[in-house]
């Protein structure tokens, strides 16, 4: 089972800080253990040598029949049992234990009559020295770890701040701001050392510039084609009106009307692409506006007002959005088509086969249709563009029991 980390633990700075902290703690612990072992061995070694030296003096005095020195004696009180057993067995040794409430270094050797000759040396100073050393190691390790973490966090934060800046620019480009650039100083100055963040920033700026150039070329091409078609289509429409009545004339007029509609749609898309549209705001009752749109469409569309709402919006653009949604429902879906007003949320639903998966996932795309549908895919594209100008949110989904559902959410006054 994989341990689930909290959401905040996913940040690069947190991970780097945790890594630096763990490595600093491991290094401090290693160095602390090495210093502790080295100093302890030296301290204990000197105390052991002193105790054995005094044991030699006590042994010489005992063998000569002289009085034993202070701190020496036969089987003295407090002598550790293990050390006495070792001495009775004919060997010499040392051991640290607590005697009369203080640490003591014992040294013992064999004596006659299965007794142990032992001396005791005060070990309090050495114990305090080792304890003080351990405390110094702990404090110095804590300070070193804290300083290392602060310096590491500062260094990592500088990198993550640049990464967050690059991510913000990427989100702005995704939202449609093609003028957004990172402009990382390291990427712009070739004399400065280049790092991975600068490489990512430079690649993002290059990609944004290339994308902007291609989109602008496409927008100019769309606008130029629409403008160039307008004049000959006007003449063609006038000429078609002069043709004698008959089936061929009806076909010509129908195709000319379709071309004029396509040209007007292309012009509208080019204006939306330029992002220079201006709103003419006024207060509107959504229920009444929806009724006008349905009546103007001339379709058999049911209008349901669950909860009316008063919104501040551009009436012409909102009518254009709802009109395109209703027209698309009748053209590509099946009856019944229902337009529902529930507060600032307007839904248009049909009972056909539903939207294609690409449209649900990525939104409408101009000049793309699937499933043998007729049209140029511009109606929903214009609806989405006008909704964006209105500051509304237009989403597309398929109902569980079949049919396409377009949902327009407007800012409520």
């Amino acid at each position: 089972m994989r341990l689930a980390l909290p959401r905040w633990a996913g940040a690069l700075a947190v991970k780097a800080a945790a890594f630096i902290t763990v490595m600093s703690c491991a290094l401090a612990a290693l160095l602390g253990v090495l210093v502790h072992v080295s100093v302890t061995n030296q301290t204990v070694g000197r105390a052991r040598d002193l105790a054995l030296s005094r044991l030699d003096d006590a042994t010489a005095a005992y063998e000569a029949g002289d009085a034993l020195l202070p701190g020496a004696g036969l089987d003295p009180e407090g002598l550790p049992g293990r050390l006495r057993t070792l001495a009775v067995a004919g060997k010499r040794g040392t051991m640290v234990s607590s005697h009369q409430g203080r640490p003591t270094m014992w040294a013992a050797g064999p004596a006659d009559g299965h007794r142990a000759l032992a001396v005791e040396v005060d070990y309090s100073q050495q114990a305090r020295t080792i304890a003080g050393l351990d405390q110094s190691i702990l404090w110095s390790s804590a300070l070193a770890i804290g300083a290392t973490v602060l310096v590491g966090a500062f260094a990592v934060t500088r990198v993550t701040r640049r990464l967050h800046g690059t991510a913000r620019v990427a989100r702005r480009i995704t939202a449609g701001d093609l003028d957004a650039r990172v402009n990382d100083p390291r990427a712009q100055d070739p004399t400065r050392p280049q790092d991975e963040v600068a490489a990512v920033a430079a690649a993002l700026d290059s990609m944004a510039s290339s994308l902007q150039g291609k989109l602008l070329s496409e927008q100019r091409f769309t606008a130029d084609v629409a403008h160039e078609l307008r004049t000959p289509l006007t003449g063609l429409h006038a000429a078609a009106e002069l043709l004698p009545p008959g089936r061929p004339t009806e076909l010509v007029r129908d195709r000319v009307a379709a071309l004029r509609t396509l040209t007007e749609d292309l012009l509208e898309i080019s204006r939306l692409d330029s992002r220079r549209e201006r709103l003419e705001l006024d207060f509107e009752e959504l229920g009444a506006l929806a009724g006008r749109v349905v009546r103007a469409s001339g379709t058999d569309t049911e209008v349901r007002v669950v909860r009316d709402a008063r919104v501040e919006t551009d009436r012409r653009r909102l009518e254009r959005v709802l009109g395109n949604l209703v027209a698309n429902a009748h053209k590509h879906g099946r009856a019944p088509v229902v337009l529902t007003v529930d507060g600032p949320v307007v839904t248009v639903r049909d009972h056909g086969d539903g939207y294609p998966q690409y449209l649900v996932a990525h939104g409408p795309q101009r000049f793309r249709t699937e499933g043998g549908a007729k049209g140029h895919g511009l109606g929903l594209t214009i609806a989405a563009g006008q909704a964006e100008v209105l500051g509304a949110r237009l989403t597309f989904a398929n109902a569980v029991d079949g049919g396409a559902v377009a949902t327009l959410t407007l800012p409520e006054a």
Side-chain angles (χ1 to χ4, degrees):
M1 181 177 178
R2 185 176 179 180
L3 180 63
L5 295 175
R7 183 173 298 179
W8 56 264
L12 179 61
V14 175
K15 292 181 179 179
F19 176 77
I20 294 172
T21 302
V22 171
M23 294 304 298
S24 299
C25 291
L27 181 60
L30 177 62
L31 293 177
V33 169
L34 292 176
V35 173
H36 172 82
V37 170
S38 177
V39 174
T40 300
N41 288 339
Q42 293 179 7
T43 303
V44 173
R46 286 195 294 266
R48 181 182 294 113
D49 292 341
L50 176 60
L52 290 175
S53 176
R54 291 187 179 182
L55 179 61
D56 290 337
D57 295 339
T59 301
Y62 176 75
E63 291 176 351
D66 297 336
L68 296 178
L69 298 174
L74 292 171
D75 293 333
E77 180 185 359
L79 179 65
R82 292 173 56 192
L83 184 58
R84 184 184 182 282
T85 302
L86 181 68
V88 170
K91 299 179 181 179
R92 300 191 343 158
T94 59
M95 182 177 290
V96 177
S97 67
S98 178
H99 179 54
Q100 296 179 350
R102 57 186 175 84
T104 302
M105 171 68 77
W106 292 93
D112 57 354
H114 297 287
R115 292 185 296 176
L117 176 63
V119 297
E120 58 177 297
V121 177
D122 187 11
Y123 193 70
S124 301
Q125 181 62 38
Q126 290 84 345
R128 286 193 295 269
T129 300
I130 294 175
L133 174 66
D134 291 341
Q135 189 174 11
S136 299
I137 291 175
L138 288 176
W139 280 106
S140 59
S141 297
L143 291 175
I145 291 172
T148 303
V149 170
L150 288 176
V151 173
F154 174 74
V156 173
T157 302
R158 292 188 61 188
V159 175
T160 55
R161 188 185 301 117
R162 294 167 61 198
L163 287 174
H164 282 303
T166 303
R168 283 194 299 271
V169 171
R171 286 191 290 269
R172 288 173 56 190
I173 294 174
T174 302
D177 184 6
L178 298 181
D179 293 323
R181 297 292 184 273
V182 180
N183 293 327
D184 192 296
R186 291 179 180 268
Q188 294 179 340
D189 187 359
T191 61
R192 300 181 64 179
Q194 302 293 307
D195 58 8
E196 288 77 6
V197 180
V200 171
L204 180 62
D205 287 348
S206 176
M207 180 197 70
S209 298
S210 176
L211 180 63
Q212 184 179 36
K214 291 179 180 179
L215 288 179
L216 290 177
S217 298
E218 178 185 341
Q219 292 169 9
R220 283 195 297 268
F221 175 77
T222 302
D224 292 344
V225 167
H227 280 290
E228 291 298 325
L229 287 175
R230 213 173 192 182
T231 301
L233 280 176
T234 302
L236 188 59
H237 177 72
E241 293 297 325
L242 300 177
L243 293 175
R247 182 58 181 168
T249 300
E250 292 178 1
L251 292 175
V252 170
R253 290 176 180 175
D254 179 67
R255 293 299 87 196
V256 170
L259 281 174
R260 292 190 66 181
T261 301
L262 174 60
T263 303
E264 295 300 326
D265 287 346
L266 289 174
L267 285 173
E268 186 169 358
I269 287 177
S270 68
R271 289 193 297 268
L272 292 172
D273 287 339
S274 67
R275 297 183 179 274
R276 296 176 182 175
E277 296 287 86
R278 294 293 180 265
L279 293 175
E280 297 179 3
L281 297 177
D282 198 0
F283 290 97
E284 298 287 340
E285 300 292 337
L286 269 183
L289 187 143
R292 291 198 304 270
V293 169
V294 169
R295 288 192 297 271
S297 68
T299 59
D300 184 16
T301 303
E302 179 185 355
V303 178
R304 297 177 183 173
V305 180
V306 178
R307 178 171 60 92
D308 206 352
R310 183 177 176 84
V311 295
E312 185 179 14
T313 186
D314 188 320
R315 179 180 57 81
R316 180 184 65 83
R317 297 183 189 279
L318 181 55
E319 289 178 349
R320 175 68 159 156
V321 174
L322 296 181
N324 281 17
L325 294 178
V326 170
N328 184 83
H330 282 280
K331 186 174 182 180
H332 301 290
R334 285 193 297 270
V337 176
V338 181
L339 188 154
T340 304
V341 177
D342 188 0
V345 180
V346 183
T347 59
V348 177
R349 179 187 175 179
D350 62 56
H351 291 75
D353 297 329
Y355 292 120
Q357 287 302 316
Y358 81 87
L359 193 148
V360 175
H362 306 291
Q365 300 176 23
R366 63 192 68 174
F367 297 109
R368 178 175 179 178
T369 57
E370 289 187 359
K374 296 180 180 180
H376 305 282
L378 299 182
L380 294 183
T381 302
I382 292 173
Q386 293 289 11
E388 183 179 355
V389 175
L390 291 173
R393 183 165 57 92
L394 180 59
T395 58
F396 303 92
N398 291 322
V400 177
D401 54 347
V405 181
T407 304
L408 179 69
T409 304
L410 293 159
E412 191 170 7

